[in-house]
Amino acid sequence: DAGVTQSPTHLIKTRGQQVTLRCSPKSGHDTVSWYQQALGQGPQFIFQYYEEEERQRGNFPDRFSGHQFPNYSSELNVNALLLGDSALYLCASSLGLGRYEQYFGPGTRLTVT
Amino acid sequence: AQRVTQPEKLLSVFKGAPVELKCNYSYSGSPELFWYVQYSRQRLQLLLRHISRESIKGFTADLNKGETSFHLKKPFAQEEDSAMYYCALSEGYNTDKLIFGTGTRLQVFP
Protein backbone atom coordinates (compact mmCIF):
# COMPACT_ATOMS: atom_id res chain seq x y z
CA ASP A 1 0.00 0.00 0.00
CA ALA A 2 1.57 3.28 -1.12
CA GLY A 3 -0.45 5.18 1.42
CA VAL A 4 -1.93 8.53 0.46
CA THR A 5 -0.76 9.68 -2.95
CA GLN A 6 -0.99 13.15 -4.44
CA SER A 7 -0.41 14.55 -7.91
CA PRO A 8 1.28 16.48 -9.24
CA THR A 9 4.31 16.90 -6.99
CA HIS A 10 5.03 20.43 -8.11
CA LEU A 11 3.05 22.96 -10.08
CA ILE A 12 3.70 26.49 -11.32
CA LYS A 13 0.74 28.67 -12.30
CA THR A 14 0.14 32.29 -13.16
CA ARG A 15 -2.10 34.67 -11.24
CA GLY A 16 -5.72 34.35 -12.34
CA GLN A 17 -5.38 30.80 -13.57
CA GLN A 18 -7.17 27.77 -12.22
CA VAL A 19 -5.58 24.63 -10.77
CA THR A 20 -6.71 21.10 -9.90
CA LEU A 21 -4.85 18.95 -7.39
CA ARG A 22 -5.54 15.26 -6.93
CA CYS A 23 -5.46 12.86 -4.00
CA SER A 24 -5.88 9.11 -3.66
CA PRO A 25 -6.55 7.98 -0.10
CA LYS A 26 -4.88 5.11 1.67
CA SER A 27 -6.43 1.77 0.83
CA GLY A 28 -9.60 1.21 2.88
CA HIS A 29 -10.05 4.88 3.79
CA ASP A 30 -13.21 6.76 2.86
CA THR A 31 -12.62 10.26 4.22
CA VAL A 32 -10.36 12.91 2.69
CA SER A 33 -9.30 16.24 4.14
CA TRP A 34 -7.31 18.99 2.47
CA TYR A 35 -4.88 21.38 4.15
CA GLN A 36 -2.87 24.37 2.99
CA GLN A 37 0.60 24.85 4.48
CA ALA A 38 2.26 28.19 3.80
CA LEU A 39 6.00 28.50 4.32
CA GLY A 40 6.89 28.53 8.01
CA GLN A 41 3.34 27.80 9.11
CA GLY A 42 1.42 24.78 10.27
CA PRO A 43 -1.16 23.17 7.98
CA GLN A 44 -4.53 24.98 7.76
CA PHE A 45 -7.72 22.99 7.24
CA ILE A 46 -9.49 23.73 3.96
CA PHE A 47 -12.30 21.16 3.88
CA GLN A 48 -13.20 17.53 4.36
CA TYR A 49 -15.10 15.07 2.15
CA TYR A 50 -17.01 12.01 3.25
CA GLU A 51 -19.53 10.03 1.22
CA GLU A 52 -18.89 12.39 -1.70
CA GLU A 53 -20.08 15.41 0.26
CA GLU A 54 -18.24 18.35 1.79
CA ARG A 55 -18.75 17.80 5.51
CA GLN A 56 -16.78 20.60 7.06
CA ARG A 57 -15.03 23.69 5.77
CA GLY A 58 -12.31 25.92 7.14
CA ASN A 59 -11.93 29.65 6.66
CA PHE A 60 -11.22 29.63 2.92
CA PRO A 61 -13.03 31.56 0.18
CA ASP A 62 -15.33 29.97 -2.39
CA ARG A 63 -12.46 30.02 -4.90
CA PHE A 64 -11.45 26.80 -3.16
CA SER A 65 -13.72 23.92 -4.08
CA GLY A 66 -13.46 20.18 -4.09
CA HIS A 67 -14.93 16.91 -5.10
CA GLN A 68 -14.88 13.33 -3.92
CA PHE A 69 -15.42 10.47 -6.33
CA PRO A 70 -17.13 7.10 -5.69
CA ASN A 71 -13.70 5.46 -5.33
CA TYR A 72 -13.00 7.95 -2.48
CA SER A 73 -10.32 9.86 -4.39
CA SER A 74 -10.60 13.61 -4.27
CA GLU A 75 -9.77 16.79 -6.13
CA LEU A 76 -9.05 20.27 -4.87
CA ASN A 77 -9.78 23.11 -7.29
CA VAL A 78 -8.62 26.68 -6.85
CA ASN A 79 -9.92 29.38 -9.17
CA ALA A 80 -8.58 32.86 -9.86
CA LEU A 81 -5.21 32.09 -8.30
CA LEU A 82 -3.56 34.72 -6.15
CA LEU A 83 0.11 35.01 -5.24
CA GLY A 84 -0.92 34.18 -1.67
CA ASP A 85 -2.18 30.77 -2.75
CA SER A 86 1.42 29.63 -3.13
CA ALA A 87 1.82 26.87 -0.58
CA LEU A 88 2.14 23.14 0.01
CA TYR A 89 -1.26 21.46 -0.28
CA LEU A 90 -1.65 18.37 1.84
CA CYS A 91 -4.24 15.66 1.57
CA ALA A 92 -5.06 13.42 4.53
CA SER A 93 -7.24 10.34 4.60
CA SER A 94 -8.93 8.38 7.36
CA LEU A 95 -11.65 5.85 7.99
CA GLY A 96 -14.91 7.45 9.02
CA LEU A 97 -15.25 10.82 10.66
CA GLY A 98 -13.10 11.70 13.62
CA ARG A 99 -12.56 8.23 14.97
CA TYR A 100 -9.28 7.05 13.54
CA GLU A 101 -5.84 8.34 12.71
CA GLN A 102 -5.40 10.57 9.67
CA TYR A 103 -2.66 9.68 7.21
CA PHE A 104 -1.05 12.48 5.23
CA GLY A 105 0.20 12.51 1.69
CA PRO A 106 3.50 14.04 0.56
CA GLY A 107 1.81 17.19 -0.67
CA THR A 108 1.67 19.23 -3.86
CA ARG A 109 3.86 22.34 -3.98
CA LEU A 110 1.96 25.10 -5.80
CA THR A 111 3.79 28.23 -6.89
CA VAL A 112 1.78 31.15 -8.26
CA THR A 113 3.75 33.75 -10.20
CA ALA B 1 -11.66 30.87 18.58
CA GLN B 2 -9.68 27.67 18.65
CA ARG B 3 -5.96 28.24 18.60
CA VAL B 4 -2.77 26.24 19.13
CA THR B 5 0.41 28.02 20.15
CA GLN B 6 3.92 26.62 19.94
CA PRO B 7 6.13 29.38 21.31
CA GLU B 8 9.47 27.99 20.13
CA LYS B 9 10.40 27.88 16.46
CA LEU B 10 13.63 26.04 17.20
CA LEU B 11 14.83 23.91 20.09
CA SER B 12 18.41 22.69 20.13
CA VAL B 13 19.71 20.11 22.59
CA PHE B 14 22.56 17.63 22.88
CA LYS B 15 22.05 13.90 22.68
CA GLY B 16 21.00 12.50 26.04
CA ALA B 17 19.53 15.78 27.29
CA PRO B 18 15.86 16.07 28.26
CA VAL B 19 13.49 17.63 25.76
CA GLU B 20 10.26 19.54 26.28
CA LEU B 21 8.37 21.00 23.34
CA LYS B 22 5.69 23.39 24.50
CA CYS B 23 2.11 23.53 23.27
CA ASN B 24 -0.73 25.66 24.58
CA TYR B 25 -4.24 25.72 23.23
CA SER B 26 -7.42 27.72 23.52
CA TYR B 27 -10.72 25.93 23.11
CA SER B 28 -13.91 26.19 25.09
CA GLY B 29 -14.97 22.55 24.85
CA SER B 30 -13.19 19.25 25.41
CA PRO B 31 -10.63 19.01 22.65
CA GLU B 32 -8.60 16.12 21.49
CA LEU B 33 -4.87 16.91 21.30
CA PHE B 34 -2.22 15.41 19.04
CA TRP B 35 1.46 15.65 18.28
CA TYR B 36 2.50 15.17 14.66
CA VAL B 37 6.09 14.80 13.49
CA GLN B 38 7.76 15.36 10.14
CA TYR B 39 11.22 13.87 9.67
CA SER B 40 13.45 15.16 6.89
CA ARG B 41 12.05 14.29 3.44
CA GLN B 42 9.16 12.34 4.97
CA ARG B 43 5.47 13.07 5.23
CA LEU B 44 3.65 14.34 8.28
CA GLN B 45 2.78 11.49 10.63
CA LEU B 46 1.00 11.07 13.93
CA LEU B 47 3.32 10.72 16.91
CA LEU B 48 0.78 10.47 19.71
CA ARG B 49 -2.70 11.51 20.80
CA HIS B 50 -3.71 12.34 24.32
CA ILE B 51 -6.60 9.87 24.58
CA SER B 52 -4.33 6.89 23.96
CA ARG B 53 -1.96 7.86 26.75
CA GLU B 54 0.83 5.93 25.05
CA SER B 55 4.55 6.53 25.02
CA ILE B 56 5.82 6.54 21.44
CA LYS B 57 9.57 6.50 20.73
CA GLY B 58 10.07 7.53 24.36
CA PHE B 59 7.89 10.63 24.00
CA THR B 60 4.99 11.38 26.33
CA ALA B 61 2.52 14.23 26.55
CA ASP B 62 0.04 15.01 29.29
CA LEU B 63 -3.04 17.10 28.75
CA ASN B 64 -3.28 19.78 31.45
CA LYS B 65 -6.74 21.29 31.16
CA GLY B 66 -6.08 23.82 33.91
CA GLU B 67 -3.10 25.29 32.08
CA THR B 68 -4.52 24.40 28.64
CA SER B 69 -1.22 22.80 27.73
CA PHE B 70 -0.07 19.61 26.02
CA HIS B 71 3.70 19.68 26.23
CA LEU B 72 5.74 16.92 24.58
CA LYS B 73 8.53 15.44 26.66
CA LYS B 74 11.34 12.96 26.33
CA PRO B 75 13.87 12.30 29.09
CA PHE B 76 16.85 11.53 26.84
CA ALA B 77 16.95 12.96 23.31
CA GLN B 78 18.40 10.95 20.42
CA GLU B 79 19.86 12.28 17.18
CA GLU B 80 17.07 10.55 15.24
CA ASP B 81 14.53 12.70 17.09
CA SER B 82 15.62 15.70 15.01
CA ALA B 83 12.51 16.72 13.10
CA MET B 84 9.67 19.23 12.86
CA TYR B 85 7.02 18.77 15.53
CA TYR B 86 3.47 20.08 15.28
CA CYS B 87 0.89 20.21 18.04
CA ALA B 88 -2.70 19.93 16.80
CA LEU B 89 -6.20 20.16 18.21
CA SER B 90 -9.41 18.51 17.12
CA GLU B 91 -12.88 19.45 18.25
CA GLY B 92 -13.41 15.78 18.89
CA TYR B 93 -16.30 13.66 17.81
CA ASN B 94 -17.33 13.38 14.17
CA THR B 95 -14.68 15.61 12.68
CA ASP B 96 -11.22 15.20 11.24
CA LYS B 97 -10.57 18.94 11.22
CA LEU B 98 -7.22 19.60 12.85
CA ILE B 99 -5.96 22.99 14.00
CA PHE B 100 -2.20 23.03 13.92
CA GLY B 101 0.38 25.15 15.67
CA THR B 102 3.23 26.70 13.71
CA GLY B 103 5.60 23.92 14.66
CA THR B 104 8.89 23.56 16.53
CA ARG B 105 12.05 22.32 14.88
CA LEU B 106 14.00 20.04 17.22
CA GLN B 107 17.71 19.71 16.57
CA VAL B 108 19.59 17.08 18.55
CA PHE B 109 23.36 17.44 18.34
CA PRO B 110 25.74 14.50 18.89
Side-chain angles (χ1 to χ4, degrees), chain A residues 23-96:
Chain A
C23 171
S24 290
K26 182 178 168 62
S27 178
H29 285 183
D30 57 6
T31 305
V32 172
S33 300
W34 286 92
Y35 292 81
Q36 181 195 65
Q37 186 173 19
L39 204 58
Q41 302 296 316
Q44 271 199 293
F45 177 81
I46 303 175
F47 43 52
Q48 174 184 69
Y49 278 85
Y50 174 68
E51 293 184 337
E52 301 181 50
E53 286 187 19
E54 184 182 295
R55 297 291 176 159
Q56 197 168 6
R57 189 177 182 92
N59 190 23
F60 280 81
D62 291 345
R63 298 187 297 109
F64 289 77
S65 63
H67 189 77
Q68 185 178 35
F69 299 94
N71 67 352
Y72 308 122
S73 67
S74 177
E75 287 182 351
L76 163 65
N77 300 293
V78 187
N79 293 323
L81 283 167
L82 304 174
L83 295 180
D85 294 332
S86 295
L88 181 68
Y89 288 85
L90 297 170
C91 171
S93 75
S94 63
L95 178 61

Side-chain angles (χ1 to χ4, degrees), chain A residues 4 37 48 56 94 98 102, chain B residues 43 46 86 95-96 98 100-101:
Chain A
V4 179
Q37 186 173 19
Q48 174 184 69
Q56 197 168 6
S94 63
Q102 289 188 68
Chain B
R43 59 188 68 188
L46 179 66
Y86 293 95
T95 178
D96 282 338
L98 292 170
F100 285 87

Side-chain angles (χ1 to χ4, degrees), chain A residues 1-42:
Chain A
D1 180 16
V4 179
T5 60
Q6 292 186 244
S7 63
T9 306
H10 297 92
L11 204 51
I12 300 175
K13 290 286 188 178
T14 305
R15 252 183 321 176
Q17 285 188 317
Q18 178 263 343
V19 69
T20 297
L21 310 182
R22 295 176 175 82
C23 171
S24 290
K26 182 178 168 62
S27 178
H29 285 183
D30 57 6
T31 305
V32 172
S33 300
W34 286 92
Y35 292 81
Q36 181 195 65
Q37 186 173 19
L39 204 58
Q41 302 296 316

Side-chain angles (χ1 to χ4, degrees), chain B residues 28-110:
Chain B
S28 55
S30 294
E32 191 168 343
L33 275 295
F34 304 80
W35 277 98
Y36 279 80
V37 61
Q38 187 166 29
Y39 300 102
S40 180
R41 295 187 180 85
Q42 293 188 27
R43 59 188 68 188
L44 199 59
Q45 58 186 284
L46 179 66
L47 179 62
L48 54 81
R49 57 198 302 178
H50 89 270
I51 59 169
S52 62
R53 303 185 68 82
E54 290 177 304
S55 172
I56 307 294
K57 299 184 179 183
F59 284 98
T60 59
D62 290 319
L63 180 59
N64 186 323
K65 292 186 178 180
E67 296 183 358
T68 59
S69 68
F70 187 58
H71 303 329
L72 183 68
K73 300 177 184 178
K74 184 170 184 177
F76 308 104
Q78 303 298 315
E79 288 179 68
E80 55 265 31
D81 296 328
S82 295
M84 196 72 183
Y85 291 80
Y86 293 95
C87 182
L89 174 156
S90 168
E91 294 171 355
Y93 182 74
N94 227 26
T95 178
D96 282 338
K97 176 183 177 181
L98 292 170
I99 299 162
F100 285 87
T102 51
T104 298
R105 179 165 299 283
L106 174 65
Q107 288 183 333
V108 181
F109 295 109

